Amino acid sequence: MKRLAVIAAAILTATTLSIAPASAHAALQSSNPAENAALDAAPDEVTLTFNQAVQSNFATVTVIAPDGIDWAASDPSVDGSTVTVDLDGLGAAGEYTIGYRVVSADGHPITGSVPFQLTQAAAAPPVADLDFTNEAAQAAPQDTEVVEDNGFPLWTIGAVVAVVGAAGVLFALRKRSN
């Protein structure tokens, strides 16, 4: 019995020491315009702030109007945990959706959207300024939600601990019966 207690204590100690905190990925902390904000005038830019740095080479941001036009006027600019995209004004009044896809520092992609309202139509831009071939508009996330992944699944560690514990108990009982 003493041997079984020692084995169980060793397994418990090994499990406790081997479980690291789940790897945390970037998450959206705030945006400007804020989620569900009602604006009287179009902002000059959209800013997304994450809780940790994101990779600059994989950031995508779209600002989709009610009619499906993407009003983002520049490629996203990444400065640590802040992603900014310039706007080319906005169009008709209605709900706009900021769609984003960034890659956190650990390589995990984060996708989501932030809706906001434009309460007054902006002055119409010249037709020549509209870019209907914008690839970002075609690849814009539609009705996506933030995916939160808590890293390595802890159930696998529990399963390994259970198997090793069962093997230890069987080994101890086998030795005892001989």
Side-chain angles (χ1 to χ4, degrees):
M1 227 15 170
K2 192 174 190 179
R3 182 181 286 176
L4 183 59
V6 170
I7 291 172
I11 290 171
L12 182 60
T13 301
T15 302
T16 303
L17 294 176
S18 68
I19 296 177
S23 139
H25 304 298
L28 184 65
Q29 275 188 320
S30 64
S31 65
N32 186 15
E35 184 172 6
N36 298 318
L39 307 177
D40 293 338
D44 293 331
E45 64 184 15
V46 165
T47 304
L48 303 170
T49 304
F50 295 87
N51 65 341
Q52 61 181 255
V54 296
Q55 295 182 23
S56 61
N57 51 343
F58 296 112
T60 302
V61 177
T62 58
V63 182
I64 306 299
D67 58 3
I69 295 175
D70 183 3
W71 288 89
S74 68
D75 288 334
S77 170
V78 178
D79 183 14
S81 63
T82 303
V83 180
T84 305
V85 66
D86 294 328
L87 294 180
D88 192 18
L90 292 178
E95 182 171 288
Y96 285 74
T97 303
I98 303 166
Y100 63 89
R101 183 176 189 282
V102 297
V103 178
S104 62
D106 67 358
H108 186 80
I110 308 299
T111 303
S113 61
V114 178
F116 69 94
Q117 294 284 330
L118 182 62
T119 60
Q120 297 179 11
V127 175
D129 288 349
L130 296 178
D131 180 10
F132 292 104
T133 61
N134 188 336
E135 293 176 23
Q138 295 170 359
Q142 299 295 320
D143 295 327
T144 57
E145 295 181 21
V146 176
V147 176
E148 292 189 25
D149 181 1
N150 291 329
F152 188 76
L154 295 179
W155 68 265
T156 56
I157 294 173
V160 169
V161 168
V163 169
V164 170
V169 168
L170 289 175
F171 179 75
L173 292 175
R174 185 171 176 218
K175 284 287 196 176
R176 191 177 192 197
S177 65
N178 287 339

